[in-house]
Amino acid sequence: MLSKTIYQLLNDQVTAEQDAAYKYLQMAAWAEKEGLSGAAKFFRVHSQEEEGHRDRIFDYLNECGQEVVLGAIDAPKHDYDNLLEVIQAAYDHEKKVTGMIKRIAEASFAEQDYQTFNFIQWFVAEQHEEETLFMTVLDKARVLGYEGEKQGEALYLLDQYLANAHEEAGGDPE
Ligand code: OFO
């Protein structure tokens, strides 16, 4: 049995993970429109990973005998100016999600709910991986000298890099 606070935090996180999936799917659509097939693949895969995160929490709440109540999701931003802006927005979003996961870890530990504390450790590791992934992509952009141009070699190379960036990062922790 989960406390009201822990239930609320986890229930909200189901919607937050769906929201992240929605944002990354929109980023994939933006990349498709721009002809950036590597970035489109990268964000599509990332969106699917977020759906996996949603399902993990959904399943945990069900296992705990708690009903999942989905919240509203705003339409994501779609009018990005350039790829650097998209990547920075994704990185900023991950930092925000890390804060939400941290709150669940803190609350479950404070309540001595070690079951949830143990459950949320996977997400703690995952957030570390995701922040590292987006930081690595931003580093790559810098090394290539890409500063948000809408065409050119640096953009082409960054797009190629993004096509396989998930595989290189190793995917979700197990
Ligand atoms: Fe669910 O890991 Fe990103 O947000």
Side-chain angles (χ1 to χ4, degrees), residues 13 16-21 24 46 49-54 57 90 93-98 100-101 122-123 126-128 130-131 134 172:
Q13 196 63 34
E17 298 294 339
Q18 182 66 56
D19 177 57
Y24 294 133
H46 209 77
E49 281 195 6
E50 298 298 349
E51 289 174 346
H53 301 170
R54 173 203 65 202
I57 305 171
H93 186 71
E94 286 308 326
K95 286 193 284 189
K96 185 176 156 202
V97 173
T98 298
M100 298 174 87
I101 296 297
W122 185 92
F123 285 87
E126 174 64 6
Q127 284 311 122
H128 172 70
E130 296 208 336
E131 283 195 29
F134 283 107
D172 281 355

Side-chain angles (χ1 to χ4, degrees), residues 56-75:
R56 266 182 189 260
I57 305 171
F58 183 93
D59 290 343
Y60 180 71
L61 282 166
N62 286 324
E63 284 159 16
C64 293
Q66 305 277 331
E67 182 188 8
V68 173
V69 180
L70 299 173
I73 294 178
D74 291 337

